[in-house]
Amino acid sequence: MAHALWTTAAVGFCNGNAAISSGSVVASHRNAAISLGNRELEVGVMMCGGSSGAMVAWKRQQQQQELSKKKKKKGKDGGGFKRRMMEEEDVVVVVSALAGREEGAGGVVLESSEALEALKGLELARSSSSGSSDNGKKKNGHAVAAVTSAVVVVAEEEIESVTERKRRSFEIDTVTEKEMKENGFRSTRRTKLIATVGPACCKFEQLEELASAGMNVARLNMCHGTRDWHRDVIRNCRRLNAEKGYAVAVMMDTEGSEIHMGDLGGVSSAKAEEGEEWFFTVRTFEGPLPAFTIQVNYEGFAEDLKVGDELLVDGGMVQFEVVEKIGPDVKCLCTDSGLLLPRATLTFWRGGSIVREKNVMLPTISSKDWVDIDFGISEGVDFIAVSFVKSPEVIKHLKSYVKARAPDRSIGVFAKIEAFESLNCLEDIIRVSDGAMVARGDLGAQIPLEQVPSVQQAIINVCRSLNKPVIVASQLLESMIQYPTPTRAEVADISEAVRQKADALMLSGESAMGLYPQKALDVLRGVSLRMEHWCREEHHGDRYQLPELSSAPTEKISEQICNSAAQMADKLGADAIFVYTRRGYMASLLSRNRPDCPIFAFTESQNVRQRMNLQWGLIPFRLDFGEDMESNLHRTFALLKARGMMKSGDLVVAVSDISSASQTAMLQSIQVRKIP
């Protein structure tokens, strides 16, 4: 049931001077009472249906009761009291053109400015009372004026408090809200966007620009930056959510223990030109690095390489050929020029095949990674992405560790598919993970390039079959690190990932260190929207046959409910699907179906809301749940209509996985409702 918002303030006065004794703003009160000494004057807000105004009037019931008591007494006190009562009865305030109504139960929700305006209208009492020539009436009028001023002061403070509580009880991403108001339901983007945070976009104002451009998740690459720097970024993201209404999640990406370069002596990048000779070494230097020298983290580097081997940097962004081994140093000739970045991965090729033996012996999670993971847990990150996963045991071990360290908080563990070994047990790895990332850069250095597109599609299909979100990453807009516009091939690459129905697309160097981080995100968003629209208009929606997930009765029921709800929404042309969920499970099942309409996912948990912001098609809301499904629906309809995000006649398919405290078992159903 919807409720009207009423304002209550208690004020006392003595000898014509008003003083605030207490004040509060509460919901569901039919009347607001103002206490003047021993006399109570009740103020009510009345409304009829869709009326454009409300009347605030003095009620007289208790006044008349007090007057009856006074009449029994002798003397002029009774008459004086009667005169004062008559003067106070003259006060009538009319408030027009109220906005932001919550309809139902004959009440409205007054926005803070409107409630304050209603109270300020009580200043009419001043002109009503002080206009008389009678000294008693003037004195009493001054008292009333003082009281109404005091009430307004109380209201200004308390309305701010109730507005904040009201805002916290219903939260939505401000960018999505704006898009829906301007362009409607179908305009919302289904594919989520991840931006890697680096020196180019780490300040609060820069993060806000990325969030306003559509960033759903901020990624931290633990290969770079200090712990204090990462902490500042995480807290800026949390501040952004708290102050600006976003739901930006934070993903921490571990460095991994693969062979990689050092930090280039502190410079942000270095250019290697074809024909140049460079030295790779395991030595340490007290001063600056010598020119054309790169440090390597693997002690057996020189021992394992052979003259003639190919050395690929960062998945092939730069290529070298080994020409000579000199003690701990390896002399290489640059055969393909490119940009060298700090801590880039190194892979070896010999005779047309990758050299894997030493990489297999390295642990997936290094000692540094464990320290970083502890840091991420303590700072409350939403996701941890594990680099170079080779077996499901690594993921299971990490998940049990995270659960023990953070039992009251859900942190998603993602497997990065970038090692050749992971392809041999792909389904097993994804099954135990909370999601997967197609890290095409390093993966492309470990398998033939022509296999990358088909492997990408296979990973997306497995993730969707197992109901796991999947991210397509690496080199989506690589050219925009240096240039303001993408290549046409990059646009086609993004479109293909959207057509394959990946949950999210990720920017790496484009946002972290590129010259145009916001433009790159704008391109990613624009191409995603256009491709999604084309797929719907041309009826290229994926009718992929989804296998059953579970044989457990409860989960099987939820799965079938969501499958049916998605099919009904498509066939009925529903404007949206509503799902009320505590853990996000039913929301993920709906997302798995990739319906044509957006999915409004309501949850009480901010943590769950942020995690859902990574999944395809979900628009996550934070909502304080009512006692049952019906109350949640009515309240949601009213709140969305009040914010201009829905209108009467919109068709909604609704499901839920929550139950009231009075229910011994959860009753699951599908409801088809038109917004009243």
Side-chain angles (χ1 to χ4, degrees):
M1 178 182 292
H3 298 292
L5 180 67
W6 309 100
T7 305
T8 303
V11 180
F13 75 96
C14 180
N15 297 325
N17 296 317
I20 300 173
S21 60
S22 64
S24 63
V25 179
V26 296
S28 305
H29 278 227
R30 181 64 60 179
N31 302 304
I34 300 178
S35 177
L36 303 179
N38 294 324
R39 300 183 302 280
E40 280 191 65
L41 303 178
E42 294 185 328
V43 182
V45 180
M46 309 299 178
M47 178 186 176
C48 296
S51 169
S52 63
M55 183 176 73
V56 180
W58 300 103
K59 286 191 174 181
R60 306 177 181 177
Q61 181 178 3
Q62 292 185 342
Q63 297 169 320
Q64 296 298 333
Q65 292 175 354
E66 291 283 348
L67 185 59
S68 297
K69 293 178 182 178
K70 290 290 183 179
K71 283 182 177 179
K72 296 180 180 179
K73 295 184 178 181
K74 295 180 180 180
K76 61 181 180 180
D77 282 345
F81 178 73
K82 183 176 180 179
R83 285 197 302 273
R84 291 195 296 273
M85 294 298 299
M86 291 295 292
E87 294 157 9
E88 291 161 354
E89 287 171 0
D90 291 337
V91 181
V92 176
V93 183
V94 177
V95 182
S96 300
L98 294 176
R101 300 189 184 91
E102 179 182 347
E103 297 184 3
V108 294
V109 168
L110 298 180
E111 299 292 344
S112 59
S113 59
E114 297 165 347
L116 184 59
E117 192 66 29
L119 284 174
K120 286 182 176 178
L122 295 177
E123 293 288 354
L124 292 180
R126 180 179 305 181
S127 60
S128 172
S129 301
S130 61
S132 172
S133 60
D134 181 78
N135 291 334
K137 292 180 69 176
K138 284 183 179 180
K139 181 177 180 181
N140 188 60
H142 292 314
V144 172
V147 168
T148 56
S149 298
V151 171
V152 169
V153 171
V154 175
E156 286 175 334
E157 296 175 353
E158 296 298 336
I159 286 174
E160 288 181 4
S161 175
V162 80
T163 302
E164 176 62 19
R165 290 196 299 273
K166 180 181 172 186
R167 185 190 70 80
R168 289 199 303 267
S169 69
F170 182 76
E171 300 173 21
I172 178 179
D173 188 287
T174 53
V175 173
T176 303
E177 180 178 5
K178 181 180 178 182
E179 288 179 350
M180 289 179 62
K181 287 180 178 179
E182 292 178 352
N183 304 312
F185 289 98
R186 300 283 173 167
S187 68
T188 57
R189 172 175 40 85
R190 315 297 200 268
T191 309
K192 301 306 177 74
L193 307 182
I194 303 173
T196 301
V197 181
C201 60
C202 59
K203 296 179 181 178
F204 179 80
E205 294 77 13
Q206 294 168 324
L207 289 171
E208 185 177 0
E209 289 177 356
L210 292 181
S212 65
M215 176 180 69
N216 301 106
V217 181
R219 170 181 174 255
L220 298 175
N221 188 347
M222 301 309 288
C223 291
H224 311 287
T226 65
R227 196 147 292 133
D228 288 339
W229 182 88
H230 288 296
R231 182 181 292 109
D232 288 342
V233 172
I234 293 171
R235 293 181 180 179
N236 277 337
C237 290
R238 298 299 182 236
R239 177 187 163 198
L240 190 66
N241 293 341
E243 294 183 5
K244 305 295 183 178
Y246 294 101
V248 175
V250 176
M251 172 178 283
M252 190 190 79
D253 197 330
T254 64
E255 180 177 322
S257 57
E258 295 298 293
I259 301 171
H260 57 76
M261 303 187 331
D263 61 3
L264 300 181
V267 300
S268 60
S269 63
K271 186 67 179 293
E273 299 288 355
E274 185 176 349
E276 292 179 344
E277 290 185 342
W278 287 72
F279 287 87
F280 291 78
T281 182
V282 295
R283 290 185 293 160
T284 58
F285 299 90
E286 292 184 0
L289 282 176
F292 301 101
T293 300
I294 296 172
Q295 291 176 302
V296 181
N297 71 327
Y298 174 46
E299 289 293 333
F301 182 76
E303 180 183 345
D304 292 338
L305 281 175
K306 295 181 180 180
V307 174
D309 285 352
E310 288 182 290
L311 185 61
L312 273 63
V313 178
D314 201 11
M317 298 306 295
V318 189
Q319 293 189 25
F320 294 89
E321 180 183 344
V322 177
V323 295
E324 186 179 1
K325 299 199 309 184
I326 311 169
D329 301 338
V330 177
K331 183 179 178 181
C332 298
L333 180 71
C334 180
T335 55
D336 279 330
S337 60
L339 199 64
L340 298 169
L341 301 177
R343 310 190 75 79
T345 56
L346 299 172
T347 51
F348 316 145
W349 285 71
R350 184 179 299 151
S353 300
I354 189 170
V355 179
R356 313 182 194 282
E357 289 78 10
K358 293 301 179 182
N359 283 9
V360 172
M361 295 174 62
L362 295 172
T364 299
I365 302 178
S366 67
S367 56
K368 176 185 180 298
D369 291 338
W370 284 113
V371 175
D372 289 339
I373 288 167
D374 283 338
F375 166 76
I377 293 172
S378 66
E379 290 297 323
V381 299
D382 300 287
F383 305 101
I384 297 174
V386 186
S387 298
F388 296 99
V389 175
K390 303 179 183 73
S391 71
E393 284 71 26
V394 173
I395 297 295
K396 289 191 284 188
H397 178 48
L398 177 57
K399 289 184 71 174
S400 64
Y401 179 78
V402 170
K403 186 175 182 180
R405 289 294 311 276
D408 300 327
R409 196 171 192 277
S410 178
I411 299 177
V413 176
F414 274 57
K416 294 179 67 178
I417 310 300
E418 53 191 339
F420 175 82
E421 294 78 15
S422 63
L423 299 179
N424 295 327
C425 50
L426 180 64
E427 187 169 328
D428 293 335
I429 290 173
I430 294 175
R431 189 182 301 277
V432 299
S433 304
D434 296 311
M437 181 189 297
V438 189
R440 303 179 304 175
D442 288 306
L443 182 62
Q446 301 211 9
I447 63 174
L449 289 174
E450 61 271 17
Q451 293 182 16
V452 172
S454 59
V455 169
Q456 173 178 309
Q457 179 72 78
I459 296 171
I460 292 174
N461 289 346
V462 171
C463 285
R464 188 170 168 196
S465 296
L466 297 175
N467 193 30
K468 310 288 184 175
V470 58
I471 303 164
V472 173
S474 305
Q475 303 168 359
L476 285 169
L477 291 168
E478 192 77 11
S479 68
M480 291 193 72
I481 292 177
Q482 294 180 295
Y483 302 102
T485 55
T487 67
R488 306 307 178 260
E490 288 170 336
V491 171
D493 182 33
I494 295 169
S495 297
E496 178 61 14
V498 173
R499 189 197 63 78
Q500 292 175 348
K501 301 296 178 73
D503 286 85
L505 307 177
M506 190 180 91
L507 297 177
S508 298
E510 303 96 327
S511 57
M513 54 164 292
L515 299 177
Y516 311 97
Q518 187 173 351
K519 282 188 176 182
L521 197 64
D522 286 339
V523 170
L524 208 59
R525 176 175 171 270
V527 174
S528 298
L529 280 168
R530 182 65 189 91
M531 191 63 187
E532 291 168 357
H533 178 76
W534 180 82
C535 287
R536 290 193 296 270
E537 291 296 314
E538 299 296 323
H539 304 290
H540 284 272
D542 189 2
R543 296 295 177 240
Y544 180 69
Q545 188 65 37
L546 298 173
E548 289 189 1
L549 287 170
S550 175
S551 58
T554 302
E555 293 185 357
K556 193 171 184 178
I557 291 171
S558 297
E559 182 182 344
Q560 295 305 318
I561 287 283
C562 290
N563 291 347
S564 300
Q567 292 174 19
M568 288 178 65
D570 285 347
K571 291 180 179 179
L572 295 174
D575 295 292
I577 299 175
F578 282 16
V579 55
Y580 299 85
T581 178
R582 296 196 192 279
R583 298 181 296 114
Y585 180 62
M586 287 192 77
S588 70
L589 291 173
L590 289 166
S591 171
R592 178 183 184 232
N593 280 274
R594 305 296 196 256
D596 288 340
C597 63
I599 305 162
F600 285 23
F602 302 93
T603 183
E604 289 184 308
S605 166
Q606 181 66 15
N607 174 222
V608 173
R609 179 188 176 213
Q610 287 166 190
R611 284 193 59 181
M612 291 194 299
N613 208 19
L614 180 61
Q615 294 178 272
W616 189 97
L618 297 185
I619 301 175
F621 295 74
R622 207 202 67 76
L623 175 73
D624 290 339
F625 290 149
E627 294 183 354
D628 52 42
M629 178 74 163
E630 195 67 20
S631 64
N632 288 328
L633 281 171
H634 279 296
R635 182 161 178 260
T636 305
F637 292 163
L639 289 168
L640 290 174
K641 284 181 65 178
R643 296 175 80 129
M645 297 170 64
M646 300 192 78
K647 61 184 184 299
S648 297
D650 286 338
L651 187 65
V652 169
V653 176
V655 297
S656 173
D657 65 6
I658 63 174
S659 58
S660 66
S662 61
Q663 289 177 305
T664 56
M666 181 171 60
L667 175 64
Q668 291 185 306
S669 63
I670 303 174
Q671 296 193 34
V672 181
R673 306 286 289 269
K674 273 195 174 183
I675 307 296

